[in-house]
Amino acid sequence: MSLEFQLPVRIDRDMADELVKESAYIARQISAFRVADDLQTVVVEIAETANPEEISGKVSRYLSAMLRGYPPPATRVCAAYQRTDAGPLADGVFDELKRRQWAFEIGVGHVGFAGPALTLYEYIDQYLGERYQELFGTRTISFPALITPGNLARCGYFDSHPNNATWVTHLVEDVDTIEQFRAANTDIRAPRLPKPEELETPAACLNPAACDPLYYVLENQTMPSEGVAYSWLGRVFRYESRNTRDLERLWEFNVRELVFAGSAAYVQRQREKAVQFMGELAQHFDLDMSLEVASDPFFATVAAVKRMWQLSMETKVEVKVPIGTDGDGRLRRIAAGSINLHGKFFGERFSIHAHGGASADTACVGLGIERLMLATFAQHGFEPERWPKPVRTHLFLSER
Ligand SMILES: [Zn+2]
């Protein structure tokens, strides 16, 4: 059965893409959601068993939340870099990586690497870690994959992206439940998953935002007058529902994170330096790249308000890279990372102070390793001659 909705205004293609993407979270009985070519009609396919009125209400509420304040303030391009490699963009990078056994899809949205892909993964992380140390005097630190729901709540995660959280649980501590589950799983060809009542209420999440655990570490501390910078490789988990897609949008991915904490002036200065550094990054990997003021895809109910705020305050700059073309020849681009100003949000929530006692400002820079890998392979293909020299010498030496 299909339902049709008229939008109050004609939207642009980016908004149409965002509506389709975030529609994954409206209702499980929706099998397809698309925006028609007139960019003003939404067509929703629902299961025969679904209640059309109930779904209709959910879709209407979703659309009005997402379109509140539309159109948002115009995005601004801060800088653009061009690669010197004149070769075409390679489509189907992930398939080719898998064919060569340089990438392995262990499950939906979680992948492993080997050979030159693994070398590139390690090279990107090492390059960023070393340059951050030279440029910002970073301290190193490491974090576990688990994070408490309490800390995520304080970081504002449940207030903005509750749909992306991944919850960790275990069988309830009950001998009969455990024994039944064990007995039901002796046939390894047909594993039986636990029923909801056999699982404990989750007491942990998998960390969905690389920098979040650091604020807990800095809680109640006063930053030195010169400010502090931390950098580490963070494992990040975001449940993306049906939007999970090869290396582009993974459930589990890795981020080279960089966080500044200190006075507003210090954080602002470091942020400018980080923006400048992206030009060096583009050159080092010879990438087409642009830096754009952007907003996050927040959960529908808060999307409009937070998007407006981020865009008008220019708090988020995205590192956009082309990764191929889609069916109708449109350039496909992804955000390989972002540079985010948080103001005193975390300083106040975690009582982190700048030298002198005021709440500290913070900012973070996150670069997704898998997305940078995808962009680099997409822009240089699989012939070593097309790769920039410093990267190439590391990469194709070692078909391990
Ligand atoms: Zn961050």
PDB file of all heavy atoms in Angstrom, residues 209-212 215 257-259 340 342 363-366, ligand 1:
ATOM      1  N   ALA A 209      30.550   8.751  19.674  1.00  0.00           N
ATOM      2  CA  ALA A 209      31.164  10.036  19.299  1.00  0.00           C
ATOM      3  C   ALA A 209      32.557  10.027  19.905  1.00  0.00           C
ATOM      4  O   ALA A 209      32.702  10.000  21.126  1.00  0.00           O
ATOM      5  CB  ALA A 209      30.349  11.209  19.820  1.00  0.00           C
ATOM      6  N   ALA A 210      33.582  10.034  19.045  1.00  0.00           N
ATOM      7  CA  ALA A 210      34.937   9.763  19.516  1.00  0.00           C
ATOM      8  C   ALA A 210      35.331  10.572  20.744  1.00  0.00           C
ATOM      9  O   ALA A 210      35.926  10.045  21.678  1.00  0.00           O
ATOM     10  CB  ALA A 210      35.935   9.988  18.385  1.00  0.00           C
ATOM     11  N   CYS A 211      34.993  11.867  20.786  1.00  0.00           N
ATOM     12  CA  CYS A 211      35.543  12.709  21.846  1.00  0.00           C
ATOM     13  C   CYS A 211      34.808  12.598  23.178  1.00  0.00           C
ATOM     14  O   CYS A 211      35.332  13.025  24.206  1.00  0.00           O
ATOM     15  CB  CYS A 211      35.628  14.165  21.391  1.00  0.00           C
ATOM     16  SG  CYS A 211      34.048  14.920  21.002  1.00  0.00           S
ATOM     17  N   ASP A 212      33.610  12.030  23.196  1.00  0.00           N
ATOM     18  CA  ASP A 212      32.807  12.051  24.426  1.00  0.00           C
ATOM     19  C   ASP A 212      33.512  11.547  25.691  1.00  0.00           C
ATOM     20  O   ASP A 212      33.383  12.174  26.748  1.00  0.00           O
ATOM     21  CB  ASP A 212      31.479  11.317  24.220  1.00  0.00           C
ATOM     22  CG  ASP A 212      30.473  12.177  23.443  1.00  0.00           C
ATOM     23  OD1 ASP A 212      30.766  13.360  23.213  1.00  0.00           O
ATOM     24  OD2 ASP A 212      29.404  11.659  23.075  1.00  0.00           O
ATOM     25  N   TYR A 215      35.774  14.117  28.009  1.00  0.00           N
ATOM     26  CA  TYR A 215      35.234  15.139  28.925  1.00  0.00           C
ATOM     27  C   TYR A 215      35.074  14.575  30.326  1.00  0.00           C
ATOM     28  O   TYR A 215      35.240  15.275  31.316  1.00  0.00           O
ATOM     29  CB  TYR A 215      33.926  15.716  28.361  1.00  0.00           C
ATOM     30  CG  TYR A 215      34.139  16.168  26.940  1.00  0.00           C
ATOM     31  CD1 TYR A 215      33.503  15.554  25.869  1.00  0.00           C
ATOM     32  CD2 TYR A 215      35.081  17.165  26.666  1.00  0.00           C
ATOM     33  CE1 TYR A 215      33.771  15.937  24.558  1.00  0.00           C
ATOM     34  CE2 TYR A 215      35.354  17.545  25.365  1.00  0.00           C
ATOM     35  CZ  TYR A 215      34.703  16.920  24.324  1.00  0.00           C
ATOM     36  OH  TYR A 215      34.990  17.291  23.034  1.00  0.00           O
ATOM     37  N   GLU A 257      41.009  11.410  16.304  1.00  0.00           N
ATOM     38  CA  GLU A 257      40.355  12.516  16.988  1.00  0.00           C
ATOM     39  C   GLU A 257      41.391  13.472  17.562  1.00  0.00           C
ATOM     40  O   GLU A 257      42.485  13.062  17.961  1.00  0.00           O
ATOM     41  CB  GLU A 257      39.474  11.936  18.114  1.00  0.00           C
ATOM     42  CG  GLU A 257      38.609  12.940  18.828  1.00  0.00           C
ATOM     43  CD  GLU A 257      37.364  13.358  18.050  1.00  0.00           C
ATOM     44  OE1 GLU A 257      37.107  12.804  16.961  1.00  0.00           O
ATOM     45  OE2 GLU A 257      36.656  14.253  18.535  1.00  0.00           O
ATOM     46  N   LEU A 258      41.018  14.740  17.617  1.00  0.00           N
ATOM     47  CA  LEU A 258      41.870  15.796  18.163  1.00  0.00           C
ATOM     48  C   LEU A 258      40.943  16.720  18.944  1.00  0.00           C
ATOM     49  O   LEU A 258      39.931  17.163  18.404  1.00  0.00           O
ATOM     50  CB  LEU A 258      42.530  16.531  16.987  1.00  0.00           C
ATOM     51  CG  LEU A 258      43.267  17.840  17.232  1.00  0.00           C
ATOM     52  CD1 LEU A 258      44.475  17.610  18.140  1.00  0.00           C
ATOM     53  CD2 LEU A 258      43.729  18.430  15.897  1.00  0.00           C
ATOM     54  N   VAL A 259      41.259  16.942  20.214  1.00  0.00           N
ATOM     55  CA  VAL A 259      40.395  17.793  21.036  1.00  0.00           C
ATOM     56  C   VAL A 259      41.220  18.886  21.694  1.00  0.00           C
ATOM     57  O   VAL A 259      42.331  18.636  22.183  1.00  0.00           O
ATOM     58  CB  VAL A 259      39.659  16.968  22.127  1.00  0.00           C
ATOM     59  CG1 VAL A 259      38.849  17.880  23.055  1.00  0.00           C
ATOM     60  CG2 VAL A 259      38.731  15.941  21.504  1.00  0.00           C
ATOM     61  N   ASN A 340      34.738  20.930  14.880  1.00  0.00           N
ATOM     62  CA  ASN A 340      33.561  21.366  15.631  1.00  0.00           C
ATOM     63  C   ASN A 340      33.918  22.255  16.808  1.00  0.00           C
ATOM     64  O   ASN A 340      34.755  21.885  17.631  1.00  0.00           O
ATOM     65  CB  ASN A 340      32.820  20.144  16.182  1.00  0.00           C
ATOM     66  CG  ASN A 340      32.523  19.134  15.096  1.00  0.00           C
ATOM     67  OD1 ASN A 340      31.602  19.310  14.312  1.00  0.00           O
ATOM     68  ND2 ASN A 340      33.331  18.085  15.034  1.00  0.00           N
ATOM     69  N   HIS A 342      32.589  23.643  20.278  1.00  0.00           N
ATOM     70  CA  HIS A 342      31.526  23.309  21.238  1.00  0.00           C
ATOM     71  C   HIS A 342      31.195  24.461  22.175  1.00  0.00           C
ATOM     72  O   HIS A 342      30.317  24.321  23.015  1.00  0.00           O
ATOM     73  CB  HIS A 342      31.940  22.116  22.104  1.00  0.00           C
ATOM     74  CG  HIS A 342      32.493  20.957  21.356  1.00  0.00           C
ATOM     75  ND1 HIS A 342      33.655  20.314  21.731  1.00  0.00           N
ATOM     76  CD2 HIS A 342      32.050  20.310  20.257  1.00  0.00           C
ATOM     77  CE1 HIS A 342      33.890  19.305  20.889  1.00  0.00           C
ATOM     78  NE2 HIS A 342      32.955  19.298  19.983  1.00  0.00           N
ATOM     79  N   ALA A 363      36.879  22.212  21.532  1.00  0.00           N
ATOM     80  CA  ALA A 363      36.622  21.997  20.103  1.00  0.00           C
ATOM     81  C   ALA A 363      37.188  20.641  19.748  1.00  0.00           C
ATOM     82  O   ALA A 363      38.106  20.160  20.432  1.00  0.00           O
ATOM     83  CB  ALA A 363      37.281  23.074  19.258  1.00  0.00           C
ATOM     84  N   CYS A 364      36.654  20.010  18.724  1.00  0.00           N
ATOM     85  CA  CYS A 364      37.219  18.732  18.302  1.00  0.00           C
ATOM     86  C   CYS A 364      37.323  18.657  16.790  1.00  0.00           C
ATOM     87  O   CYS A 364      36.598  19.337  16.062  1.00  0.00           O
ATOM     88  CB  CYS A 364      36.435  17.549  18.859  1.00  0.00           C
ATOM     89  SG  CYS A 364      34.917  17.196  17.988  1.00  0.00           S
ATOM     90  N   VAL A 365      38.284  17.851  16.360  1.00  0.00           N
ATOM     91  CA  VAL A 365      38.493  17.590  14.938  1.00  0.00           C
ATOM     92  C   VAL A 365      38.482  16.075  14.794  1.00  0.00           C
ATOM     93  O   VAL A 365      39.292  15.393  15.429  1.00  0.00           O
ATOM     94  CB  VAL A 365      39.873  18.130  14.483  1.00  0.00           C
ATOM     95  CG1 VAL A 365      40.077  17.868  12.987  1.00  0.00           C
ATOM     96  CG2 VAL A 365      40.006  19.610  14.807  1.00  0.00           C
ATOM     97  N   GLY A 366      37.558  15.551  14.012  1.00  0.00           N
ATOM     98  CA  GLY A 366      37.493  14.101  13.816  1.00  0.00           C
ATOM     99  C   GLY A 366      37.632  13.787  12.342  1.00  0.00           C
ATOM    100  O   GLY A 366      36.931  14.366  11.514  1.00  0.00           O
TER     101      GLY A 366
HETATM  102 ZN    ZN B   1      34.343  15.127  18.685  1.00  0.00          ZN
END
